[in-house]
Amino acid sequence: ASFFLLCFRTSLIRPLICGLLLQPPVAQLSIITRPNIVLLMADDLGIGDVGCYGNDTIRTPNIDRLAKEGVKLTQHIAAAPLCTPSRAAFLTGRYPLRSGMDAVNNYRVIFWNGCSGGLPPNETTFARILQQEGYSTGLIGKWHQGVNCESRNDHCHHPLKHGFDYFYGMPFTLISDCQPTEAPEMDRPFRRKLWFSTQMIGLAILTAALGRLTGLISVSWKTLTCLAGFSLLFFICWFSSYGFVRYWNCIMMRNHEVTEQPMVTDRTTSNILRESISFVERNKHKPFLLFLSFLHSHTPLITTEKFLGRSSHGLYGDNVEEMDWMVGQVLDVIDKEGLKNTTLVYFASDHGGWLERQEGQRQLGGWNGIYRGGKAMGGWEGGIRVPGIFRWPGVLPAGKVINEPTSLMDIYPTVVNLAGGVLPQDRVIDGRDLMPLLRGMVEHSEHEFLFHYCGIHLHAARWHQKDSGAIWKAHYVTPIFHPLGAGACYDRGICPCFGEGVTHHDPPLLFDLSQDPSEAKPLSADTEPLFDTVIKNIGRAIEEHRSTLTPVPEQLSMYNVVWKPWLQLCCGTFPFCWCDKEGDN
């Protein structure tokens, strides 16, 4: 009996000891569940501009290395085709319509540092949740989610009010107005109209004055003086904003302090890279979130001399190759500090490349590969399908390619869950945790339907029919290209969401993206037996989706996007706003 009792005890103790030996230490478990997180986001980069997505002429070895060492997504979708709404969705995990960050008018992004619109303070970003979980959180680069609400210093939309401990970069976005040698970009057609109107008013007053002097027109000098005063007031009203765009919008900040006004573009790239590396080095001993929001590859394509002329795609290619080098520098510091295996790195673009962005014969916008359309087009794939790459050695498989629909909104629940946080329960979160899909624990994405907006207007929707592998996409509204068949709105510079510049489709245009990713051959009831069934299912999903929407204040309303002098960031005494505090360093 003693012998059998001894054998029984031994049989229990051995697996217990083996199990304890095989268990990772608590510290290792906490690292796996609370990794450092580095989010790299390009600006206006087309999916066709990256080597690992098929480009064999622009050199992107560091981004390609991420894909080789990690997981590449081939159907990674932005929630909007322009920066402000797309980034709002990225930060909140919600369609921008839910936070009021999509437009009812043609002003579809934040237009001024001195406007009152922006990401509402009651929205909860992933940065805020990670901050509450003990992460050091930093944003380096572009923000473009607004700054102030009611006064110059309330900073209600500022990154530090949305969960970031540290901010260095542009509260606005890079535009050609920031480069004195470039032609103005911001609201160019409207500015031309303002100049023309001013000239016509001035010419009319001058003609009336000459008529009065020659006796041809009977008008009092008092009336002419009032008209001249009105003309001058009209000119001052619009020129005080549009005449000083470089000073009002091209600003660099560190936390709440304006450090450059206007920004010195020659050193912007080196400063952003230095700040990113410094943030990693300062926070290497505790979990951190770094959101490096590149100013590349948005016009005016600020590129250092070292990279000028290096690519075979002109200034745009040079700019992309420099951004890739910056990615490599960040990866190198992660490796140097011994953080590679404890850091999740993610790379994406905020939306597709800008096809219409040209100056003469120079193409200054990106390329979207085989996908139709581009930036600002809410439905076509070229405007919303972007690169999506994850790397986390030892946790995510290397060299894996996933052909499932995913969204930039998915980053929100993914990083919140990894940090041990809890998703907000008082609102709809449209993103889905990607870790099971990335690790191969599930075969399919959780997204059955995705909805594609242009402003507040639903242009298209897709249905991932998992049992058949089909990815159906219905277009209800499409922009009218000019010239016809050109694939973009070259006459306007950017495609509209509504009005005379779009076509409404009833029945909708239907494509199966699994067979026709370029959206070249629309299906019909005659060519597709499932046409009616698919359209009904997508229509039903749209109605269910709309039932989850609730009215919210419009952050991009006309009132919220106009320039307000009392909200303008200023490092001096307004309107004398000028400083260069980085130059002192």
Side-chain angles (χ1 to χ4, degrees):
S2 299
F3 173 79
F4 286 113
L5 183 60
L6 179 62
C7 290
F8 177 75
R9 287 177 177 171
T10 305
S11 66
L12 287 176
I13 292 170
R14 277 181 180 170
L16 181 62
I17 293 173
C18 291
L20 289 171
L21 289 173
L22 290 173
Q23 283 289 325
V26 174
Q28 187 174 342
L29 274 175
S30 65
I31 288 172
I32 290 176
T33 55
R34 289 169 55 82
N36 305 311
I37 296 167
V38 175
L39 308 176
L40 309 171
M41 180 168 283
D43 197 1
D44 284 19
L45 180 74
I47 192 171
D49 294 325
V50 184
C52 57
Y53 283 91
N55 193 305
D56 56 5
T57 53
I58 295 180
R59 293 163 295 190
T60 56
N62 295 294
I63 299 172
D64 298 345
R65 170 160 58 110
L66 278 178
K68 185 178 180 181
E69 297 176 355
V71 180
K72 181 178 78 172
L73 306 174
T74 63
Q75 297 185 52
H76 202 40
I77 308 299
L82 285 173
C83 1
T84 294
S86 173
R87 290 163 182 267
F90 176 74
L91 288 162
T92 64
R94 292 150 51 81
Y95 286 105
L97 199 67
R98 299 192 190 279
S99 58
M101 292 293 280
D102 245 339
V104 298
N105 50 51
N106 287 319
Y107 291 91
R108 295 157 56 190
V109 297
I110 297 292
F111 255 71
W112 299 96
N113 279 322
C115 76
S116 53
L119 190 63
N122 64 350
E123 285 294 325
T124 303
T125 67
F126 56 69
R128 181 176 292 171
I129 297 178
L130 266 64
Q131 185 183 56
Q132 293 168 352
E133 293 299 318
Y135 273 67
S136 295
T137 56
L139 167 61
I140 312 294
K142 170 175 172 172
W143 175 237
H144 209 191
Q145 298 293 302
V147 183
N148 297 315
C149 289
E150 297 178 354
S151 68
R152 184 169 291 123
N153 296 312
D154 66 28
H155 295 156
C156 68
H157 304 305
H158 191 278
L160 269 59
K161 287 288 181 71
H162 280 293
F164 290 100
D165 298 316
Y166 184 75
F167 169 60
Y168 177 81
M170 287 192 78
F172 191 61
T173 181
L174 198 60
I175 49 176
S176 291
D177 303 71
C178 299
Q179 192 83 304
T181 57
E182 294 289 325
E185 172 187 335
M186 186 174 148
D187 219 359
R188 190 183 302 181
F190 186 55
R191 286 161 89 166
R192 286 173 180 161
K193 291 177 182 177
L194 289 171
W195 267 117
F196 180 75
S197 299
T198 303
Q199 290 168 347
M200 289 300 99
I201 293 171
L203 183 61
I205 294 171
L206 182 61
T207 303
L210 290 173
R212 173 69 173 83
L213 287 171
T214 58
L216 296 174
I217 299 176
S218 177
V219 59
S220 68
W221 286 113
K222 184 177 181 181
T223 302
L224 286 175
T225 304
C226 289
L227 289 173
F230 167 77
S231 176
L232 180 62
L233 183 63
F234 173 72
F235 173 74
I236 291 172
C237 282
W238 74 260
F239 194 77
S240 62
S241 56
Y242 284 106
F244 298 90
V245 169
R246 184 163 167 255
Y247 284 85
W248 301 153
N249 280 347
C250 303
I251 294 172
M252 297 296 286
M253 295 185 77
R254 178 175 285 104
N255 297 326
H256 290 137
E257 181 185 23
V258 176
T259 59
E260 292 179 5
Q261 189 171 10
M263 65 193 293
V264 182
T265 55
D266 290 345
R267 59 174 178 243
T268 302
T269 296
S270 59
N271 283 355
I272 285 177
L273 182 58
R274 184 194 71 229
E275 291 282 346
S276 301
I277 291 173
S278 175
F279 182 85
V280 173
E281 292 173 341
R282 289 197 311 270
N283 294 284
K284 61 186 177 183
H285 296 302
K286 55 184 176 181
F288 65 82
L289 162 72
L290 170 61
F291 178 18
L292 172 49
S293 179
F294 291 103
L295 303 184
H296 298 60
S297 49
H298 199 292
T299 49
L301 302 173
I302 293 173
T303 308
T304 57
E305 190 173 347
K306 183 172 72 171
F307 284 88
L308 288 175
R310 285 185 46 163
S311 81
S312 57
H313 283 275
L315 183 60
Y316 181 83
D318 299 344
N319 194 255
V320 172
E321 291 192 3
E322 180 173 59
M323 179 187 64
D324 178 81
W325 170 77
M326 294 173 73
V327 170
Q329 295 296 299
V330 174
L331 296 181
D332 287 348
V333 74
I334 290 172
D335 291 353
K336 186 189 78 171
E337 299 296 345
L339 303 174
K340 183 174 181 178
N341 293 335
T342 57
T343 302
L344 173 68
V345 179
Y346 166 76
F347 177 85
S349 178
D350 55 356
H351 50 71
W354 191 357
L355 302 179
E356 297 95 342
R357 190 65 177 95
Q358 300 172 331
E359 292 291 348
Q361 297 299 313
R362 293 195 303 163
Q363 176 63 35
L364 301 178
W367 182 52
N368 300 311
I370 65 171
Y371 304 108
R372 192 173 184 181
K375 175 179 177 175
M377 304 181 208
W380 295 119
E381 287 294 284
I384 53 178
R385 191 182 289 220
V386 298
I389 303 170
F390 289 84
R391 188 194 75 172
W392 187 1
V395 178
L396 301 182
K400 184 174 183 177
V401 178
I402 294 178
N403 301 311
E404 291 283 308
T406 57
S407 170
L408 264 69
M409 297 183 291
D410 296 338
I411 304 309
Y412 186 96
T414 302
V415 300
V416 166
N417 288 339
L418 284 172
V422 178
L423 295 176
Q425 302 300 306
D426 61 345
R427 64 199 66 190
V428 176
I429 301 295
D430 297 297
R432 299 291 181 266
D433 188 349
L434 287 177
M435 285 306 291
L437 181 67
L438 296 174
R439 299 185 69 184
M441 298 165 63
V442 298
E443 183 179 354
H444 294 297
S445 160
E446 286 189 45
H447 290 291
E448 184 177 9
F449 295 95
L450 286 170
F451 308 98
H452 309 304
Y453 285 91
C454 186
I456 65 165
H457 308 276
L458 183 74
H459 274 207
R462 80 182 64 208
W463 174 30
H464 181 205
Q465 193 178 6
K466 299 177 185 180
D467 55 350
S468 69
I471 299 175
W472 306 103
K473 187 174 173 193
H475 287 261
Y476 299 89
V477 183
T478 56
I480 298 172
F481 294 147
H482 188 275
L484 289 176
C489 304
Y490 291 101
D491 58 332
R492 296 171 178 265
I494 197 166
C495 284
C497 297
F498 60 93
E500 296 178 353
V502 302
T503 300
H504 294 263
H505 302 281
D506 187 14
L509 299 178
L510 183 67
F511 301 92
D512 179 0
L513 298 182
S514 65
Q515 303 298 320
D516 180 20
S518 300
E519 299 174 286
K521 301 173 183 176
L523 304 171
S524 67
D526 296 328
T527 59
E528 175 53 61
L530 295 175
F531 183 89
D532 292 331
T533 302
V534 171
I535 295 301
K536 286 179 183 177
N537 282 344
I538 294 177
R540 193 179 304 118
I542 290 172
E543 291 305 312
E544 291 178 4
H545 164 68
R546 283 177 171 157
S547 70
T548 68
L549 301 175
T550 55
V552 293
E554 296 171 9
Q555 296 298 322
L556 302 182
S557 66
M558 191 62 70
Y559 173 78
N560 277 333
V561 298
V562 297
W563 182 67
K564 302 176 180 66
W566 60 92
L567 298 183
Q568 177 60 50
L569 293 168
C570 183
C571 63
T573 301
F574 186 85
F576 305 104
C577 305
W578 181 91
C579 64
D580 182 8
K581 299 176 184 177
E582 295 295 335
D584 297 337
N585 295 332

